[in-house]
Amino acid sequence: MNRMTRRQFTKLASSAAVLSTAGPLSLGRALAAEKITAVEWGGAYLDASQAIAAKQTHVDVNWQRHAGGAMVIMSKIKSTWPKPGIDLLSGWDPSWQMVAKEGWAEPVTLEQVPNLADIPPKLLVKDGGGNIVNIPRTVASTFWIYRKDTIPFEITKVEDLLDPRLKGKICWNVPSLGSNLQMVMLALHKGGDERNLEPAWDFVKELARSGNIGRVANSDQDMTSSISTGETSMAFAAAFVIKDLARNFQLHYLNKMDTASGFRTFIYQEGWTVLKGGNTKAAFDFANFAISPENDATFNQISGAGLPANVKSVVSEELKPFSLNSEEMNLHAYIPDWAYLSEQEAVWQKRWEQEIAPLL
């Protein structure tokens, strides 16, 4: 997984109790528990999922851990298909692309997962037949921000980055930091996308020549240090980094800008998929229970994974500026081809060093 990982995003402050509307698992049952095998990341992720599982008695979960990144288990599933021995699989955007391509997922419907009605449709991934393959539980984002006390004027459009008043004020990430999303944003604004970055390369060459890039960040620490010291005033960063900066500085967020401005919010989501051939009914029941408003908030609070995907979940005041409802998701958010970004990272980094760095 590239640097835009689930581990980059912060904890939510929210508390939870099971809703009576959370689904069939919210009701105590004297019946023998159905059994499923679920794959989860370790650490706080497993702690969070186990805490949710402990709230019900209908499904008994045999937890297995991912051995490495989310894509590692895909080869195991492929080699054991059609009997992978997994009912419920945790993953994120690149995972769902492969699951959809291979036809491994049991189609997700509102009848099976009623709480999906409270998940923004933009987060749902579909296979070639139009079937939903994922059940989102977490949303994370990255976008542009600036310090209100050190920026010389209000930023309203991408073209402002070239304004002479921003001389030395911009902190710019190298392509290997944050998946080169800031250049994907430029490409989108100029008529391209992640598969056609040429418009973005042209713009960044002009930006480099302008002298407005005052710091090139090779890590999140580079960026936070530059913004904190006042060396630069404007940066592109992940929400968990922005949250920490906002505790000490007044920041302006460019995450809900009009599309015509050129500024976009990039999001990724992670969650569950139910694999075919297993105990699918129980797997759907547990997944539905897990993404109820309270349980989704609990998961993200304990795991620190990000914001709950369920729009009815409680979000702390500190994190509300990062939250997007379904309408805002459609207006401001872009979900790139994460797998393609990962494949191109080294190529883009080399091009940066050859074509942009000498201009700085």
Side-chain angles (χ1 to χ4, degrees):
M1 189 178 292
N2 57 37
R3 285 181 173 84
M4 285 295 301
T5 65
R6 60 192 185 283
R7 296 181 180 86
Q8 286 184 320
F9 295 85
T10 189
K11 294 181 179 180
L12 291 175
S14 54
S15 61
V18 182
L19 271 183
S20 61
T21 57
L25 298 190
S26 63
L27 304 176
R29 298 191 180 188
L31 300 177
E34 297 183 74
K35 295 184 179 181
I36 65 170
T37 294
V39 177
E40 179 62 278
W41 286 287
Y45 280 77
L46 184 56
D47 293 341
S49 287
Q50 287 180 327
I52 292 170
K55 294 181 179 182
Q56 53 80 45
T57 58
H58 180 56
V59 176
D60 182 13
V61 185
N62 170 31
W63 295 105
Q64 295 185 3
R65 294 176 176 83
H66 279 286
M71 300 304 289
V72 174
I73 199 168
M74 296 301 178
S75 58
K76 176 184 176 181
I77 294 174
K78 194 175 185 68
S79 65
T80 55
W81 194 259
K83 296 182 179 181
I86 299 169
D87 300 301
L88 193 61
L89 175 69
S90 63
W92 71 305
D93 285 288
S95 309
W96 311 146
Q97 296 302 321
M98 185 170 181
V99 166
K101 180 181 178 181
E102 297 290 341
W104 292 338
E106 189 71 28
V108 185
T109 67
L110 279 173
E111 181 179 0
Q112 296 158 319
V113 187
N115 284 316
L116 204 68
D118 299 322
I119 303 295
K122 195 163 187 174
L123 298 177
L124 304 177
V125 178
K126 297 181 180 180
D127 61 20
N131 301 302
I132 299 169
V133 302
N134 66 319
I135 304 168
R137 64 185 183 186
T138 296
V139 180
S141 61
T142 183
F143 49 89
W144 280 95
I145 54 96
Y146 61 80
R147 273 182 61 172
K148 294 181 179 180
D149 61 331
T150 60
I151 202 79
F153 65 98
E154 181 183 359
I155 307 298
T156 61
K157 58 186 182 301
V158 162
E159 286 73 20
D160 288 341
L161 299 180
L162 297 173
D163 193 297
R165 290 175 290 177
L166 286 182
K167 184 77 68 175
K169 291 290 187 179
I170 299 174
C171 183
W172 193 270
N173 298 340
V174 295
S176 58
L177 176 63
S179 301
N180 210 23
L181 290 176
Q182 72 276 12
M183 289 192 68
V184 174
M185 185 194 77
L186 293 176
L188 290 169
H189 184 52
K190 298 295 183 178
D193 56 23
E194 59 264 46
R195 294 179 180 273
N196 175 20
L197 286 187
E198 290 310 314
W201 287 111
D202 292 340
F203 185 95
V204 175
K205 287 176 183 178
E206 186 177 359
L207 184 63
R209 294 189 186 101
S210 74
N212 287 2
I213 297 177
R215 165 69 65 175
V216 174
N218 292 283
S219 67
D220 291 327
Q221 185 175 2
D222 286 346
M223 188 279 291
T224 55
S225 176
S226 184
I227 296 294
S228 296
T229 60
E231 176 190 44
T232 57
S233 302
M234 186 174 185
F236 183 82
F240 87 102
V241 178
I242 295 170
K243 175 189 66 68
D244 291 338
L245 280 172
R247 290 172 175 171
N248 299 303
F249 306 100
Q250 285 195 326
L251 302 179
H252 184 78
Y253 302 153
L254 299 175
N255 62 334
K256 298 181 182 181
M257 301 289 285
D258 186 277
T259 304
S261 72
F263 289 104
R264 297 288 190 97
T265 294
F266 292 87
I267 62 173
Y268 85 82
Q269 56 81 21
E270 65 172 36
W272 301 108
T273 191
V274 175
L275 299 184
K276 294 177 179 178
N279 192 352
T280 57
K281 174 64 168 59
F284 276 127
D285 284 350
F286 180 79
N288 182 63
F289 179 73
I291 65 164
S292 72
E294 287 74 15
N295 288 336
D296 200 21
T298 295
F299 174 83
N300 285 281
Q301 178 189 14
I302 296 174
S303 68
L307 289 160
N310 192 311
V311 297
K312 292 183 179 178
S313 294
V314 174
V315 178
S316 70
E317 289 298 320
E318 184 179 42
L319 294 179
K320 279 184 179 179
F322 308 134
S323 181
L324 300 177
N325 59 33
S326 294
E327 182 180 359
E328 291 170 332
M329 196 85 68
N330 289 329
L331 288 174
H332 311 298
Y334 183 78
I335 303 176
D337 185 338
W338 289 102
Y340 181 77
L341 296 186
S342 297
E343 294 170 0
Q344 298 302 311
E345 183 177 296
V347 175
W348 289 335
Q349 181 66 27
K350 183 177 181 179
R351 185 169 179 180
W352 167 273
E353 294 167 355
Q354 293 177 340
E355 299 182 21
I356 308 300
L359 302 176
L360 298 170

